[in-house]
Amino acid sequence: MLIKLFGAAVQGINATIVTIEVNTSRGIKFFLVGLPDSAVKESHERIVSALQVNGYKFPTCQIVVNMAPADIRKEGSSYDLPLAIGILAATGNMSSENLHRYLIIGELSLDGSLQPIKGALPIAIAAREQGFEGFILPKQNAREAAVVNNLNVYGIENITEVIDFFNGKQTLSPTIVDTRNEFYENQTHFSCDFADVKGQENVKRALEVAAAGGHNLIMIGAPGSGKSMMAKCLPSILPPLSLSESLETTKIHSVAGKLGQDSSLIATRPFRNPHHTISQVAMVGGGASPQPGEISLAHNGILFLDELPEFNRSVLEVLRQPLEDRCITISRAKYTLTYPASFNLIASMNPCPCGYYNHPTRNCVCTPGQVQRYLNKISGPLLDRIDIQIEIVPVPFEKLSEKAQGETSATIRERVIQARQIQAQRFKSIYGVHCNAQMTSRLLQQYAQPDVKGVRLLRAAMERLNLSARAYDRILKVSRTIADLAHSDQIQVEHLAEAISYRNLDRENWAG
């Protein structure tokens, strides 16, 4: 008897429907074809045990299972449940009348219970697009998939629930999630707030500008000056995610298996803080079983690289192309995948090996050559892609001992949102450009041209500070953001002056 039912394979951050065909005939062998990997082939043993424990005998006949399309590699253990259901239906042990109306996915334990899977959200989206009535999956992933509307999502705990459902002995209740209500309720939950940061007003301002324009930023200063703390506060002033951004971000984390159990949409912008021992593959993604890397997990959020010079140079260099293109294409012999990677790069570092170069009270013990070699670990092309470079000095005791709190993140966030709204209106007809940091040279000529006084100031700064030509566009982009924060249509001299001050770590000017 030939039975057809449906599962799914995840490729990149999208899913492809897989047709599972099960045919039984006289014999005793079990054949599984359609380019399955080792984990899929091992499903035979899990299925045998799960059926036996729940009172069903594994059929004693020849079974041929085909997973189409055969040119897509089937990976992982999430095909256990549809294979088991297909085998039972093909041998007449359960009804097959309604199988074509549902997409089925899940990993079986030996006792027949189901384990959570990766990629439930993109699979649910594919199921809705293909017109399936329902989606049957492990209960732990039900809320994640239920954010997709116009699709009945059934979370189950044991294979017997699925068998009884198709036999008409049990009714399953779909999982209901009020997506919009939960999404908007969780948008303001942050663990850090700028009100807790003492002093460092100039750095807070630089972070506000970076958030308002989507600019990359590097902080350089002595140990204990507050670099990491302020970076962790940055998500609290970023504009809230839109529903479409949240859906795309959640898909990436779903494919990577980073969503917690019973979670739904990600409501706040991601903040990724990888350790400096990270490998190239872990940073950009890929591997034998392709997975999104840190730059994709930071999509629509922050990638924070603490102690930047300690990262392997090759790891830092692979960031150059994603910073420009805002996506990463991974090409291997067996696959080519593209992951989104539109993130804000925030980095921090010490000024020298000992950490106290330019410190106001402590002496640096490094030689000029050591300082320069330390800074040279950050290549010019990477530094070129960082718009704002800010130096941090330690907070004096008077500021630390103050009881009064500083400006809250909520107040700063309001200004950032207003600036982003101005940019959204400005670039509404330009595809792929959403903030000032993404402006091309042509857009700079159109929206970020200074007046005569501004041109004179910019020329003087370029000559006096020995700034490189690569700093020119960055200064104009940052000054455009500063003007937006001030609700100014034109870039004024004071906006340019502030933007120039954020280039004080330019390679030609810093450390001699």
Side-chain angles (χ1 to χ4, degrees):
M1 182 176 180
L2 176 64
I3 291 296
K4 290 187 179 183
L5 66 163
F6 301 93
V10 177
Q11 295 179 294
I13 61 169
N14 298 309
T16 301
I17 301 300
V18 173
T19 302
I20 299 173
E21 302 170 314
V22 185
N23 190 29
T24 57
S25 59
R26 293 181 63 184
I28 57 172
K29 292 187 178 181
F30 178 83
F31 298 97
L32 180 59
V33 297
L35 209 59
D37 72 349
S38 297
V40 180
K41 293 176 181 177
E42 291 170 354
S43 64
H44 177 268
E45 311 306 327
R46 292 190 292 269
I47 292 170
V48 171
S49 176
L51 294 180
Q52 287 178 345
V53 170
N54 288 278
Y56 295 90
K57 186 178 180 181
F58 193 83
T60 55
C61 60
Q62 180 164 295
I63 301 172
V64 180
V65 179
N66 179 45
M67 307 175 77
D71 61 335
I72 296 177
R73 187 163 182 80
K74 319 306 183 300
E75 299 176 327
S77 53
S78 58
Y79 297 101
D80 293 359
L81 182 61
L83 289 175
I85 296 299
I87 290 170
L88 288 176
T91 54
N93 290 311
M94 62 167 281
S95 172
S96 60
E97 182 180 354
N98 296 317
L99 283 178
H100 66 282
R101 297 162 54 188
Y102 297 89
L103 192 147
I104 306 172
I105 209 84
E107 175 188 340
L108 286 174
S109 294
L110 296 183
D111 63 354
S113 61
L114 269 80
Q115 300 296 322
I117 62 168
K118 294 180 180 179
L121 179 56
I123 294 173
I125 294 172
R128 181 186 63 183
E129 291 173 349
Q130 295 297 320
F132 286 96
E133 178 183 317
F135 179 23
I136 296 173
L137 77 168
K139 189 172 184 179
Q140 300 94 318
N141 300 109
R143 284 179 53 80
E144 175 188 337
V147 302
V148 179
N149 54 15
N150 300 324
L151 179 72
N152 293 324
V153 175
Y154 301 102
I156 60 170
E157 295 181 345
N158 193 282
I159 188 174
T160 55
E161 296 179 34
V162 187
I163 298 170
D164 291 343
F165 172 69
F166 284 111
N167 285 335
K169 297 180 180 179
Q170 180 177 344
T171 301
L172 297 178
S173 300
T175 302
I176 306 297
V177 173
D178 189 343
T179 306
R180 291 181 179 273
N181 184 49
E182 288 194 9
F183 175 69
Y184 291 117
E185 273 187 359
N186 296 323
Q187 279 195 327
T188 56
H189 294 170
F190 302 103
S191 58
C192 299
D193 195 290
F194 273 109
D196 301 325
V197 179
K198 303 292 185 180
Q200 304 292 15
E201 302 302 328
N202 63 323
V203 185
K204 291 186 204 175
R205 170 64 177 178
L207 289 167
E208 179 182 342
V209 173
H215 302 289
N216 301 319
L217 175 144
I218 184 170
M219 296 176 283
I220 183 167
S225 54
K227 303 185 294 295
S228 299
M229 179 183 182
M230 286 185 283
K232 290 174 182 177
C233 291
L234 185 58
S236 66
I237 66 171
L238 290 173
L241 285 168
S242 65
L243 272 173
S244 61
E245 287 177 327
S246 175
L247 187 63
E248 188 175 32
T249 304
T250 308
K251 282 172 66 177
I252 297 170
H253 286 251
S254 174
V255 169
K258 301 294 184 183
L259 291 179
Q261 292 188 10
D262 299 322
S263 60
S264 54
L265 281 178
I266 292 175
T268 57
R269 294 187 180 272
F271 180 87
R272 303 297 300 180
N273 182 14
H275 192 261
H276 59 75
T277 56
I278 189 172
S279 67
Q280 288 187 51
V281 172
M283 182 67 82
V284 301
S289 298
Q291 291 287 302
E294 288 293 334
I295 62 173
S296 295
L297 293 171
H299 181 62
N300 290 324
I302 299 293
L303 178 66
F304 176 49
L305 303 183
D306 201 4
E307 304 298 343
L308 189 65
E310 303 303 326
F311 282 79
N312 190 301
R313 188 182 181 93
S314 61
V315 173
L316 296 180
E317 294 308 300
V318 297
L319 294 175
R320 286 156 56 175
Q321 181 261 337
L323 283 170
E324 290 293 325
D325 298 342
R326 299 188 178 271
C327 65
I328 179 70
T329 299
I330 301 165
S331 298
R332 300 291 184 268
K334 296 182 179 180
Y335 63 84
T336 298
L337 298 174
T338 298
Y339 291 114
S342 180
F343 59 90
N344 278 30
L345 175 64
I346 305 298
S348 70
M349 60 180 287
N350 295 329
C352 66
C354 78
Y356 296 104
Y357 181 81
N358 274 355
H359 195 280
T361 59
R362 299 188 62 169
N363 293 326
C364 174
V365 298
C366 304
T367 65
Q370 287 176 316
V371 176
Q372 195 61 56
R373 279 194 299 273
Y374 189 75
L375 296 175
N376 284 341
K377 291 182 179 181
I378 315 301
S379 71
L382 179 62
L383 197 64
D384 180 35
R385 289 162 172 79
I386 299 178
D387 303 346
I388 299 176
Q389 306 162 357
I390 188 76
E391 187 175 6
I392 300 179
V393 295
V395 182
F397 174 77
E398 291 74 16
K399 285 285 185 182
L400 287 173
S401 59
E402 282 183 357
K403 293 184 179 180
Q405 284 192 324
E407 194 174 30
T408 64
S409 290
T411 304
I412 302 173
R413 193 186 202 195
E414 284 300 318
R415 296 197 295 267
V416 170
I417 291 173
Q418 291 174 13
R420 283 291 183 103
Q421 289 172 344
I422 294 172
Q423 294 165 52
Q425 183 65 26
R426 177 184 300 136
F427 304 127
K428 64 180 180 180
S429 60
I430 304 171
Y431 176 77
V433 178
H434 309 288
C435 58
N436 290 333
Q438 299 172 347
M439 283 194 292
T440 62
S441 297
R442 182 176 297 178
L443 292 175
L444 282 174
Q445 294 177 3
Q446 186 174 354
Y447 296 114
Q449 282 303 303
D451 56 17
V452 176
K453 291 182 179 179
V455 171
R456 282 202 296 265
L457 174 64
L458 194 52
R459 181 185 296 112
M462 296 284 289
E463 294 173 354
R464 182 178 303 174
L465 300 178
N466 195 27
L467 295 174
S468 65
R470 66 178 179 245
Y472 179 79
D473 283 0
R474 306 292 171 178
I475 290 173
L476 289 181
K477 290 179 182 180
V478 174
S479 61
R480 179 66 268 173
T481 300
I482 296 169
D484 290 340
L485 284 167
H487 301 281
S488 172
D489 293 333
Q490 298 295 323
I491 296 177
Q492 306 296 331
V493 173
E494 58 269 22
H495 305 149
L496 271 171
E498 183 178 350
I500 291 168
S501 72
Y502 294 142
R503 299 297 303 188
N504 60 351
L505 305 182
D506 196 82
R507 183 63 61 87
E508 288 83 0
N509 183 56
W510 211 82

